[in-house]
Amino acid sequence: MSEFRPPVADLTFALEHVVGYDQIAQLPGFEHADHDTVVEILSEAGGFMAEVVAPTNRAGDLEGSRLNADGTVTTPTGFKEAYAAFVEAGWGSVPLPEEFGGGGFPRTIGLALQELEMEANMAFALAPLLTQGAIEALLGYGTDEQKQQWLPKMVSGEWAGTMNLTEPHAGSDVGALTTKAVKRADGTYGITGQKIFITFGDHDLSEQIVHLVLARTPDAPAGTKGISIFIVPKFLVNDDGSLGERNGVHTVGVEHKMGIHGSPTCVLSYEDATGYLVGDENIGMRIMFVMMNSARLSVGTQGLAVAERAYQQSLDYAKERVQGRAIGATESSPIIDFPDVRRMLMTQKAYIAALRRMMLLNAVNVDISTHHPDAATRARADEIVGLLTPICKSFGTDLGNELTSLALQIHGGMGFIEETGVAQHYRDVRIAAIYEGTNGIQAADLIGRKLPVRDGASALEFIASMRELDGELAAAGEEFASIRTQLTAQLDTLEQTTMWMLRTGPTDPNSALSGSSPYLRIWGLVVGGWLMAKSALGARGLDADGIAEAQLPLARFYAEQLLPQAAGLVGAVTAGSHDLFALDADTLADRAPSRARV
Amino acid sequence: MSEFRPPVADLTFALEHVVGYDQIAQLPGFEHADHDTVVEILSEAGGFMAEVVAPTNRAGDLEGSRLNADGTVTTPTGFKEAYAAFVEAGWGSVPLPEEFGGGGFPRTIGLALQELEMEANMAFALAPLLTQGAIEALLGYGTDEQKQQWLPKMVSGEWAGTMNLTEPHAGSDVGALTTKAVKRADGTYGITGQKIFITFGDHDLSEQIVHLVLARTPDAPAGTKGISIFIVPKFLVNDDGSLGERNGVHTVGVEHKMGIHGSPTCVLSYEDATGYLVGDENIGMRIMFVMMNSARLSVGTQGLAVAERAYQQSLDYAKERVQGRAIGATESSPIIDFPDVRRMLMTQKAYIAALRRMMLLNAVNVDISTHHPDAATRARADEIVGLLTPICKSFGTDLGNELTSLALQIHGGMGFIEETGVAQHYRDVRIAAIYEGTNGIQAADLIGRKLPVRDGASALEFIASMRELDGELAAAGEEFASIRTQLTAQLDTLEQTTMWMLRTGPTDPNSALSGSSPYLRIWGLVVGGWLMAKSALGARGLDADGIAEAQLPLARFYAEQLLPQAAGLVGAVTAGSHDLFALDADTLADRAPSRARV
């Protein structure tokens, strides 16, 4: 197992030279979050994650979280101690409001911390991730009293939070949920129903768990318009703030999953559990989207984070493993000297760098959208967040799968042996393309909700803004020529397919949906290429340290060898729905066997 | 878990209408293997695999094969009974010579049987697969006496076989192995050393295991030129053919792997074990290649087979799972009605069909190369086998990973839960891109050994032969127009990149190797597109049963939506090695952190 090296240097480079973090540090309320302070925080956090959290990753996989006979859930060896140290250090509270004990840092920095945490142990990092989602919902929609009651201990991490959406027949279709919420005389609600796939739905890390539960009041409208959201704590809280009796929520199962074994994925049964309404009745979906948009960016970052960890391991292996002779070598060579291994390493590194910049750019826009003094600037940043979020989520997690596969491949036969550890990353990250809205749902969101914003002007303006790099690339000379050529070509691809989507979507939504996933992939490839080009430009004139000198070769590799794939996807985007629906279910199943003919 | 439906109808369609099986049935020795007989055999075999072998797949994953304290290995529940039934039915012997008790059927039919077997249980199917490899080596290089002694019981399956290549520091670099073989006075050899990653290296399925072991005699030349190959049975065999005392080979470990848990991957220790030389000393590599080429085609077929099984499961789920409403639907829809789910199903089905045709075409050429009366025809078929084998292996297994991932994705959150069963396919198939020569090694083989055949003429002639379909496509009318356009365009891509490889390889092998993997992918995409076009043409005029009517939509989907990806890979093929090697190992590891700048 190789040691985890927190990629703090690349994070700080990207913040400073690519995504314009300096604008954030100048926003009102973020004055204390200057670059030097941020570098210090990330360095310290990186050390903490490497020393305290990363060592729990393997035990988490081997032991898993388990449901005991008495209905309690025990997390793997080391999780409890690591979580206590995490709370003690206050890492979860860094991006949360000072009013409730947080550090008042931007979301951008919170996301960078999440990346480091997820690199150390993806399963473990889900506990604070879900807590943060619940906090964001309460910050947005809770009453002052609710905020005072729940937030301080959630912000500190002493109390954990969860998000309870899914039911057996209500997964992607949240509106189909049937959990009931019946109002009582005292203003609280009695919650009854079963929830599945509840991440860290129960555990032994914190004394209290604050569930945010989607449910339906008896007279609620059908579908998503009739969903309300409730705080349902594991333990009722006494007036003095101490924990009282057990609430009517119980863990009836912990799933046996392919990965993230350390994270208990629970089946929770609610039996007239006491719940407190958040906001008004029937606005639950609006509140959920607050949590979900934030969580989608975090999940995209999971793809990147697990890929980074696996990449590091594959790099270490490639340097150490001696096997055969490279061209021109007179002795046995480490496999890093073989071109195809280099291709796998560079592919990982270039995509990881692109993804990191994409996630941070999204987060920077989150911060602008919430903290910029100018309303128009906030509104535009909010549009950009809306546009980038499905791309970050899907492209990040698809690549999470593909890149961990490359890391495994570099290990040869050892990659398939569990003791090596790289297989865990491949298994762990696989869920990220599914949860928080499957990647197909992200693609539908991109074309169905985000492209239509201002009749397409929002997306087209973003494309135009990417084209603005062209002058700088032209002036940057011969070394940037192929980057410029490819970026222009694939921006054209993106624009053409965007125009096709804008034309097709309103009249033939099935055709637009048919091309939505490859279309999202084109966006990911192009935004990544643009950010890598920015990165190479940003590195000019800096001392040629490791990060700075890597940017031009990475950007060129990306532009010449990865970015052109976008053009290869145009056919899949624009083919329409006809052939996708040409075969009926029986034919898809070969139900009518060919008769033998001689 | 969905029921396994053996894809016999598509296999027989492909044999009859796409890959020209009729030529094989006319070859001397294969007269009894006519189409009707083959249909009957495959139908019966499909039933057997579905009823007897498939039910063992899940227990195989859950229990795994295990090493007992006494050094024996126990396979999972049901494996022993299924193997006994397999031997009783004689399925393993179908493509083996009648002289030793086989059915004397072509390799093509043997491969179709292997596909069905691997669909039922990939881990289980490895036992007969390895036995067949050992048989092929003995058929090619054993003495008559050796053949009489070992083959009848191996052909029947009563005795199993293995291939012992890998050692801890000799994986891809077989020539680095150090296992010693010291000749004794009686002509036998004493074999001493340790072998790892030995598939079915020990088990309880058969009374005897015949290991074929690569080892080095004391005076052997270094590297691959000094390797010899030995029969090393688990039990010595008495003169009367009964089993005698235990030979000096012992199992010291069974690996804990990510998948194919049912297949015991053994560490074997040889301590002066008695071995019998096969062929001459120092020709071991030549014999190994006999086994390996055959095994590589079988492993490519594994990618296809596991993908087929996962596809079936995802199709069943997509039909049953009701969630949300499709465009225009007034009630909840099964998810098969959603375009993005359709895309995932069609992508699986089209690639699987293309792969099946590619594997069978390869096998047809194996049969021509061994059985055709005309020497020139045999020689050309042998060239085609050489060319197609690395493509079948790599493209088949890369797609095995990608397609099982799509099958898992269709299941949403349920795909990540092990009880659903689809995750097993994703884990199982992952090894196939690694063993029998990693996919990177296949790509190196393609450009380093196969392209140079007759200075490129062999490959270019194959490309030209694919172009011969153009006239038929042109005459087939409007429905085939997009297939024709795309096939021509991507044949151009293939030809251009081939010319680049032929120019570059001799002078700059590192640059050629740098592009070898994406180049192989182009081959796979194009050969697949060509075969699907042939398939659509072959289906014309047939009764519109399920298989026949599916071919045109599948071919068009492939041509319009999958095949164009080839063009997107040209940059990666022709970029050269410069950027791949631009970053040194420290820079790849971000060892020199960026200094903080404000």
Side-chain angles (χ1 to χ4, degrees):
Chain A
M1 214 82 43
S2 69
E3 192 195 355
F4 166 49
R5 295 182 296 277
V8 172
D10 194 51
L11 275 166
T12 55
F13 177 91
L15 287 171
E16 188 176 8
H17 299 294
V18 188
V19 302
Y21 177 73
D22 54 348
Q23 321 159 53
I24 305 302
Q26 286 161 18
L27 293 176
F30 291 148
E31 297 84 354
H32 62 305
D34 61 282
H35 188 74
D36 276 1
T37 306
V38 163
V39 170
E40 202 174 312
I41 288 180
L42 293 180
S43 302
E44 204 182 320
F48 177 88
M49 300 307 166
E51 285 154 34
V52 178
V53 179
T56 65
N57 194 46
R58 179 89 179 118
D61 187 53
L62 288 175
E63 298 174 22
S65 282
R66 59 185 188 281
L67 179 63
N68 304 305
D70 65 359
T72 61
V73 173
T74 303
T75 56
T77 304
F79 272 43
K80 225 172 147 167
E81 294 74 11
Y83 188 79
F86 181 88
V87 169
E88 170 72 24
W91 290 122
S93 68
V94 170
L96 295 169
E98 290 168 282
E99 185 184 354
F100 301 105
F105 276 76
R107 167 73 169 131
T108 306
I109 305 311
L111 190 72
L113 289 173
Q114 278 183 329
E115 184 198 315
L116 294 169
E117 202 180 321
M118 296 187 292
E119 279 155 355
N121 184 337
M122 172 176 164
F124 175 89
L126 285 166
L129 178 68
L130 273 289
T131 304
Q132 183 175 315
I135 290 169
E136 285 168 2
L138 291 178
L139 280 171
Y141 293 88
T143 62
D144 285 345
E145 199 185 350
Q146 285 174 333
K147 288 179 188 171
Q148 290 305 331
Q149 180 172 15
W150 303 104
L151 286 180
K153 290 200 171 182
M154 292 175 75
V155 168
S156 72
E158 287 163 274
W159 292 358
T162 74
M163 292 160 48
N164 283 235
L165 291 78
T166 306
E167 299 178 9
H169 291 282
S172 297
D173 183 9
V174 178
L177 66 84
T178 60
T179 295
K180 285 271 163 273
V182 180
K183 194 165 186 174
R184 299 167 175 164
D186 66 356
T188 66
Y189 289 74
I191 311 292
T192 303
Q194 195 180 70
K195 294 287 180 178
I196 63 169
F197 294 163
I198 308 308
T199 298
F200 275 94
D202 199 4
H203 56 81
D204 54 7
L205 302 182
S206 62
E207 55 177 14
Q208 167 75 305
I209 301 174
V210 182
H211 303 291
L212 288 195
V213 182
L214 270 64
R216 197 178 280 290
T217 53
D219 304 328
T224 54
K225 292 189 177 116
I227 293 174
S228 303
I229 194 160
F230 301 88
I231 299 166
V232 184
K234 180 174 173 182
F235 292 96
L236 298 176
V237 179
N238 299 320
D239 289 345
D240 65 357
S242 64
L243 295 186
E245 59 180 297
R246 193 76 159 76
N247 202 354
V249 48
H250 296 283
T251 309
V252 296
V254 169
E255 304 289 357
H256 175 219
K257 307 186 299 297
M258 184 169 72
I260 54 165
H261 295 160
S263 164
T265 303
C266 298
V267 180
L268 296 184
S269 174
Y270 290 84
E271 288 150 33
D272 196 31
T274 297
Y276 311 98
L277 181 68
V278 181
D280 298 320
E281 284 187 6
N282 301 332
I283 66 159
M285 279 308 284
R286 204 194 306 163
I287 304 177
M288 278 316 299
F289 270 111
V290 171
M291 298 197 244
M292 288 221 289
N293 277 331
S294 173
R296 284 173 176 181
L297 175 55
S298 298
V299 170
T301 304
Q302 283 180 344
L304 146 69
V306 181
E308 167 75 38
R309 184 78 187 272
Y311 163 70
Q312 292 187 7
Q313 190 166 351
S314 71
L315 175 62
D316 291 350
Y317 188 82
K319 287 194 290 190
E320 285 157 20
R321 173 71 173 171
V322 172
Q323 188 76 174
R325 279 186 202 177
I327 301 283
T330 52
E331 294 189 2
S332 295
S333 309
I335 62 171
I336 195 174
D337 289 350
F338 291 94
D340 196 61
V341 173
R342 281 277 176 165
R343 162 173 302 285
M344 293 191 274
L345 290 170
M346 283 294 282
T347 302
Q348 291 178 77
K349 191 170 177 69
Y351 272 136
I352 287 168
L355 287 178
R356 183 171 290 130
R357 286 147 182 73
M358 202 179 298
M359 303 298 160
L360 292 174
L361 178 70
N362 192 333
V364 158
N365 279 285
V366 170
D367 287 319
I368 296 173
S369 76
T370 52
H371 282 73
H372 201 281
D374 176 58
T377 307
R378 285 201 305 275
R380 178 58 186 153
D382 193 55
E383 284 183 354
I384 294 173
V385 170
L387 182 66
L388 289 181
T389 297
I391 300 164
C392 285
K393 198 279 182 182
S394 286
F395 190 57
T397 58
D398 281 345
L399 285 178
N401 293 331
E402 295 167 29
L403 303 182
T404 54
S405 186
L406 291 179
L408 190 153
Q409 186 73 19
I410 288 175
H411 286 77
M414 292 305 295
F416 200 61
I417 306 295
E418 286 289 358
E419 280 76 4
T420 309
V422 70
Q424 183 191 343
H425 303 310
Y426 183 67
R427 290 186 286 100
D428 279 354
V429 80
R430 187 63 189 82
I431 186 60
I434 297 171
Y435 61 17
E436 290 302 336
T438 64
N439 285 5
I441 287 188
Q442 305 300 323
D445 176 61
L446 174 64
I447 67 150
R449 294 202 193 91
K450 306 307 169 54
L451 270 197
V453 171
R454 291 193 280 123
D455 290 328
S458 172
L460 292 172
E461 284 170 20
F462 192 82
I463 295 172
S465 77
M466 291 195 280
R467 288 197 189 274
E468 286 168 15
L469 209 64
D470 191 62
E472 215 179 324
L473 286 169
E478 196 49 41
E479 286 187 323
F480 287 76
S482 66
I483 298 176
R484 184 181 175 218
T485 307
Q486 274 305 327
L487 187 58
T488 301
Q490 303 315 330
L491 277 162
D492 290 348
T493 300
L494 176 60
E495 191 165 312
Q496 284 156 15
T497 48
T498 299
M499 297 309 294
W500 185 91
M501 280 288 171
L502 289 170
R503 278 196 311 274
T504 308
T507 56
D508 185 359
N510 255 342
S511 281
L513 286 165
S514 296
S516 58
S517 280
Y519 174 66
L520 184 149
R521 180 99 181 182
I522 292 175
W523 265 102
L525 284 165
V526 174
V527 173
W530 167 65
L531 287 168
M532 290 312 295
K534 277 184 77 128
S535 201
L537 290 169
R540 283 174 309 162
L542 300 181
D543 294 353
D545 63 9
I547 300 293
E549 70 181 328
Q551 299 313 305
L552 180 58
L554 283 172
R556 204 162 45 207
F557 170 77
Y558 191 109
E560 294 180 7
Q561 305 202 39
L562 305 177
L563 186 51
Q565 293 173 61
L569 298 171
V570 175
V573 173
T574 61
S577 63
H578 180 267
D579 281 331
L580 291 188
F581 287 88
L583 306 185
D584 64 19
D586 277 349
T587 310
L588 281 167
D590 296 348
R591 288 284 187 201
S594 238
R595 269 139 298 175
R597 285 186 201 81
V598 188
Chain B
M1 214 82 43
S2 67
E3 193 194 354
F4 166 50
R5 296 183 295 276
V8 172
D10 194 51
L11 276 165
T12 56
F13 177 90
L15 288 171
E16 186 175 9
H17 299 293
V18 189
V19 301
Y21 177 74
D22 54 348
Q23 319 159 53
I24 304 303
Q26 288 162 15
L27 293 177
F30 291 147
E31 297 84 354
H32 61 306
D34 60 281
H35 188 74
D36 277 0
T37 307
V38 163
V39 170
E40 202 175 313
I41 288 181
L42 293 180
S43 302
E44 203 182 323
F48 178 88
M49 301 306 166
E51 285 154 34
V52 179
V53 179
T56 64
N57 194 45
R58 179 90 179 119
D61 186 53
L62 288 175
E63 298 175 22
S65 283
R66 59 186 189 280
L67 180 62
N68 303 306
D70 65 359
T72 60
V73 173
T74 303
T75 55
T77 304
F79 272 43
K80 225 173 147 166
E81 294 75 12
Y83 188 79
F86 181 88
V87 170
E88 170 71 23
W91 291 120
S93 68
V94 170
L96 295 169
E98 292 167 281
E99 185 185 352
F100 302 105
F105 276 76
R107 167 72 169 133
T108 306
I109 304 310
L111 189 72
L113 289 173
Q114 278 184 328
E115 186 198 312
L116 295 169
E117 202 180 321
M118 296 188 290
E119 279 155 355
N121 185 337
M122 171 176 166
F124 175 89
L126 284 165
L129 178 68
L130 273 289
T131 303
Q132 182 175 315
I135 290 169
E136 284 168 2
L138 292 177
L139 280 171
Y141 292 89
T143 62
D144 284 346
E145 200 185 351
Q146 285 174 334
K147 289 179 188 171
Q148 291 305 333
Q149 179 171 16
W150 302 104
L151 286 180
K153 291 200 169 183
M154 292 175 75
V155 168
S156 72
E158 287 163 275
W159 292 359
T162 74
M163 291 161 48
N164 283 234
L165 292 78
T166 306
E167 299 178 9
H169 291 282
S172 297
D173 183 9
V174 179
L177 66 84
T178 61
T179 295
K180 284 272 162 271
V182 180
K183 193 164 187 173
R184 298 166 176 166
D186 65 357
T188 68
Y189 289 74
I191 310 292
T192 303
Q194 194 180 72
K195 294 286 180 179
I196 62 169
F197 293 161
I198 307 308
T199 298
F200 275 95
D202 199 4
H203 56 80
D204 54 7
L205 301 183
S206 63
E207 56 177 13
Q208 167 75 304
I209 301 174
V210 182
H211 302 292
L212 288 195
V213 182
L214 270 65
R216 197 178 279 292
T217 53
D219 304 327
T224 54
K225 294 189 176 117
I227 292 173
S228 304
I229 194 159
F230 301 88
I231 300 165
V232 185
K234 180 174 172 181
F235 292 96
L236 297 176
V237 179
N238 299 321
D239 289 344
D240 65 356
S242 64
L243 295 186
E245 60 180 295
R246 191 76 158 75
N247 202 355
V249 47
H250 297 283
T251 308
V252 296
V254 169
E255 304 290 357
H256 175 218
K257 307 186 298 297
M258 184 168 72
I260 54 167
H261 296 159
S263 164
T265 302
C266 298
V267 182
L268 295 184
S269 174
Y270 289 85
E271 288 150 33
D272 196 29
T274 297
Y276 312 98
L277 181 68
V278 180
D280 298 321
E281 285 187 7
N282 301 332
I283 65 159
M285 280 308 283
R286 205 192 306 163
I287 305 177
M288 279 315 299
F289 270 111
V290 170
M291 297 197 245
M292 287 219 291
N293 277 331
S294 173
R296 284 173 176 181
L297 175 55
S298 299
V299 169
T301 305
Q302 283 181 345
L304 147 68
V306 181
E308 167 74 40
R309 184 80 187 271
Y311 163 70
Q312 292 187 7
Q313 190 165 352
S314 72
L315 175 61
D316 291 349
Y317 189 82
K319 287 193 290 189
E320 285 157 20
R321 173 70 172 171
V322 172
Q323 189 78 172
R325 280 186 202 176
I327 301 283
T330 52
E331 293 189 3
S332 294
S333 309
I335 63 171
I336 195 173
D337 289 349
F338 291 94
D340 196 61
V341 172
R342 281 277 176 165
R343 163 173 302 286
M344 293 191 272
L345 290 170
M346 283 293 283
T347 301
Q348 291 177 76
K349 190 169 179 66
Y351 272 137
I352 287 167
L355 287 178
R356 182 171 290 130
R357 285 146 183 75
M358 202 179 297
M359 304 297 159
L360 292 174
L361 178 70
N362 192 333
V364 158
N365 279 285
V366 170
D367 287 319
I368 296 174
S369 75
T370 52
H371 282 73
H372 201 281
D374 175 56
T377 307
R378 285 201 304 274
R380 178 57 187 154
D382 193 55
E383 284 183 355
I384 293 174
V385 169
L387 182 66
L388 289 182
T389 297
I391 299 164
C392 285
K393 198 280 181 180
S394 285
F395 191 58
T397 59
D398 281 345
L399 285 179
N401 293 330
E402 295 167 30
L403 303 183
T404 54
S405 186
L406 291 180
L408 191 153
Q409 186 74 18
I410 287 174
H411 286 77
M414 291 306 294
F416 200 61
I417 305 296
E418 286 288 356
E419 280 76 5
T420 310
V422 70
Q424 183 191 342
H425 303 310
Y426 184 66
R427 290 186 287 99
D428 280 353
V429 80
R430 187 62 189 83
I431 186 59
I434 296 172
Y435 61 17
E436 290 303 334
T438 64
N439 285 5
I441 287 188
Q442 306 300 324
D445 176 60
L446 174 65
I447 67 150
R449 295 201 194 90
K450 307 305 170 54
L451 269 197
V453 171
R454 293 193 280 123
D455 290 328
S458 171
L460 293 171
E461 284 169 19
F462 192 83
I463 295 171
S465 76
M466 290 195 280
R467 289 196 189 274
E468 285 168 15
L469 209 63
D470 191 63
E472 214 178 326
L473 287 169
E478 197 48 40
E479 285 187 325
F480 287 77
S482 66
I483 298 176
R484 183 180 176 219
T485 307
Q486 274 304 326
L487 187 59
T488 302
Q490 303 314 330
L491 277 163
D492 291 347
T493 300
L494 176 60
E495 190 165 310
Q496 284 157 15
T497 47
T498 299
M499 297 309 294
W500 186 90
M501 280 287 171
L502 289 170
R503 280 196 309 274
T504 308
T507 56
D508 185 359
N510 255 342
S511 281
L513 285 165
S514 295
S516 58
S517 280
Y519 174 67
L520 184 149
R521 180 101 182 179
I522 292 174
W523 265 102
L525 286 165
V526 174
V527 174
W530 167 65
L531 287 167
M532 290 312 295
K534 277 185 78 129
S535 203
L537 290 169
R540 284 175 309 163
L542 300 180
D543 293 353
D545 63 8
I547 300 292
E549 71 181 327
Q551 300 312 305
L552 180 59
L554 283 172
R556 202 163 47 208
F557 170 78
Y558 192 110
E560 295 180 7
Q561 306 204 36
L562 304 177
L563 186 52
Q565 293 172 59
L569 297 172
V570 175
V573 173
T574 61
S577 62
H578 180 267
D579 281 332
L580 291 188
F581 287 89
L583 306 184
D584 64 19
D586 278 350
T587 309
L588 281 167
D590 297 347
R591 286 287 187 198
S594 238
R595 268 142 296 177
R597 284 185 203 81
V598 188

